[in-house]
Structure formats: structure tokens, C-alpha cells
Amino acid sequence: MLIAIPAENDPAEGRVAATPETVKKLVGLGAEVKVQSGAGVKSGIPDQEYALAGATIAPDAAGTVKDADVVLRVRRPRAADIAGTKQGAAVVAMMDPYGDIDALNSLAAAGVCAFAMELMPRITRAQTMDVLSSQANIAGYRAVIDAAAEYGRVIPMMMTAAGMIAPAKIFIMGVGVAGLQAIATARKLGAVVTATDVRPTTKEQVVSLGAKFIAVEDEEFKQAETAAGYAKEMSAGYMAQQAALTASHIASQDIVITTALIPGRPAPVLVSAAMVESMRPGSVVVDLAIEHGGNCELTKPGETVVSKNGVKIIGHLNVAGRLPATASALYAKNLLAFVETLIDPKAKSLAIKWDDELVKATLLTKDGTLVHPSFQARDKPASIVENSMDQLSSRRA
Ligand code: NAD
């Protein structure tokens, strides 16, 4: 059984789908592992380390995936990238499946079994495979580091001979995995931290991390969490009350980090241009939701813009990928945990259990067809996508 690790095509992608540690484990499972030369360089892993772990190094992508039974990648490949893999081979990646049916169809046409790691159910058994959490955790940390780097002042309180420096005030909007890590990181740096979310369960989490919780806690707030544990889209009335509450708070903040997402919907706009204008010059907004449209009205994807009043608004894409070595280490472990369920260690061969709930939830293509129920029609309404996401994660721990 051959497992292939090609290099990523996107020059902006620094992550890699295997590390020497996971290669060693795959070899231990009886696999032959082939890594494309240079695949790990941006994550600080030279070819030699993969070779020492038991991999063979292939000079190019075609030579890496030729005859592979399993291809592990960070991002969705083009059909040409996997030409030469066996029919029925498993291709596992973060497939970014929403909004590009043509790309999914071309994977189907390539005859591979494409698995989207983002669709992994968030159940206890699959916690080690949860790429959304592993990458969001890194992004939440990096958002605070990026903010601190752009902020022209120190974060902690300092008592110096030349005078006292007040600690920075950091406001985290959206307290999922990324937001919780952002709170923890900001606290460790010594900031005075406040946070908001629409899900009531987040209140206790925020307080337990030593931050203050701020939210409109009305009847709608009490019902804001879906059975799957995600936020509902809030009513216009709630959003207006939330905006009124947070507007005065944001005016006194030095750094605002936004992470708010609603599955299957554009990210809610929580920070208006007027709110940015109310902040003092030199303040920073980091918008982690930019890949889903952004939480701040002024964010531009991939850019740092400076508002008229001198506030920096950071819209980095692929924020987890800004710490490629750590992000790769965690992602590679997520993949290893999933791949272990796809192979038969005794026969040392690919043995996909089609009835396994993890397979059913993540399998996009099989036998030349796009098989995943959520991606059957080109113009699937967002509500159907959301419902299916809720079903996929309805057995969350
Ligand atoms: P996410 O990325 O979907 O959203 C980020 C946060 O934005 C959420 O907390 C959400 O409530 C919040 N949000 C949405 N609209 C908002 C608004 N208008 N104002 C303020 N905040 C808003 O969330 P996530 O990080 O994927 O986490 C979602 C849930 O899943 C959490 O409860 C998390 O603890 C849970 N989780 C469970 C498991 C597991 O059981 N294995 C694993 C990971 C995450």
C-alpha cells in the first residue's frame, strides 16, 4: 500500500500533510510512504527527515502520486495533480467543498474517493481528526500575535522607573475554538480581555479564562445554539441591540479580534465602519472571519488596511498557515488518525468501511460520481447546506 504526500501547489500554502512523526507511524502500519521533494520545507521539515522516518523521496508530483492508494494533501487537488493514482484511491484533504461543484465533479471524474476533512463529525471518536478545531486553535493564537505585532504599544501593564504603562484592552468577538484560544493568549500576554458570543454556553468558558463576558442576554440569546452546538443566525432586532451594546465597548478597546461564524451563512457583520472610527488611532482589528466574508465592514481579504482615523484592520487569509510548522504537526496527526480507520493493518491495504459514519460524513466522490448528499445540485440553497452540516455534527460530544 502506497501513501503519497505531494507538495502543495499554492505558493501561499506553507503547510504539509505529513510530518516525520506521522510518516513513521504510517510505515509502522505497513505502508510504503512517498514524499515529494521539498514538500515539508516551508514547515521546517527537510527531505532528509522524511527519509530518516522511512519515506522515499520523489522528485516531482507525478512521481509521488503514481500508483498511490492514498494521497494526503492540505488543500483540494486539481484532477491533474492526482493523475496516476489508482482508481478508487483515497484522496484526503481540506477540500473546501462549498461553492465549487465543478472542482468536486472533476475529482469524481478522476475516479478517486475524495474525502473532505472539514466535514468530519465533531463526535468524541473523531476528536483527534477534527481539522477545524486544530487549525482554528492555531489561528486564534496567531490572531493575537498578529495584533500585538501591529499595535504600536505593549500589551501588559508595566511599572517602570519612567512611569506606569496601562495594559491593552482586547475584545474577542465570537468564542468558538479560535476565540477561546485568542482569549487565553491575550490573557497570557497580560491584556485586559472581554469577549462576546451569542451562545449562552460560552459565558462560563469566557469567565473561566479570566475574561469578562459581554452580550445581550435576552430570550433569543437563550435559544441561539443549534442542537449541533453552532450559532443560529440572529434576528435583525437582536443584531441591532448587540451593535448598540458593543459600539460603546469597542470605542474603548485597543484591539478587537473577530472570529464569529454561522455554518452555511456569510459571517455576521459585527464591527461597522463607524465603530472602527470610534477607536483611537493605532488600534488594531483582526478579522479571522474574512474567508467567510468578514466580521468587520472595512476588512479586505489578504490585506492590512488603515482606516481614515488610523486603525489597522488585518485580513490575513489562511491564518493557521502563518504558523506552518505547528499547523502541519496538528493537521498531519488529524490525517493519520483518519487514515488509520481506512486501512487494514493485517492485510496492509486500503479497506474503506463504507458504512462507517466518519466515511459517510466525509466522502465526496466514489466510482466516478459526486456522492455526498450535500453537494448534489449546483444551486443548493444555503439552508440545505446548513441543515446537512447540522446533521453531520449532530452527535457532537
Ligand atoms: P464557529 O467557527 O462556527 O463560530 C465561531 C463563534 O462565532 C461561535 O462560538 C459562534 O457562536 C460565534 N458567533 C456566531 N454568530 C455570532 C454573533 N452574531 N455574535 C457573536 N458571536 C457569534 O465555531 P467553532 O469554533 O467551530 O465552535 C462551535 C462549537 O463547537 C463550540 O461550541 C465548540 O466548543 C464546539 N466544538 C465541539 C467539538 C467537539 O465536541 N468535538 C469540537 C470543536 C468545537
Side-chain angles (χ1 to χ4, degrees), residues 122 127 130 133 174-178 196-199 229-231 234 239 242 259-263 268 270 396-397:
R122 283 173 137 179
Q127 258 174 358
D130 185 349
S133 290
V175 189
V177 177
T196 189
D197 200 296
V198 291
R199 291 182 300 114
Y230 289 99
M234 305 304 276
M239 293 296 282
Q242 186 188 37
T259 77
L261 293 177
I262 303 157
L270 303 178
R396 152 191 314 279

Side-chain angles (χ1 to χ4, degrees), residues 5 11 15 43 119 139 183 220 275 290 299 308 312 379 391 395:
I5 325 290
R15 293 171 293 179
S43 287
L119 302 180
I183 294 172
E220 189 175 348
M275 290 179 197
I290 188 59
T299 319
K308 276 185 274 179
K312 291 178 183 167
D379 299 318
Q391 280 158 19
R395 298 221 286 115

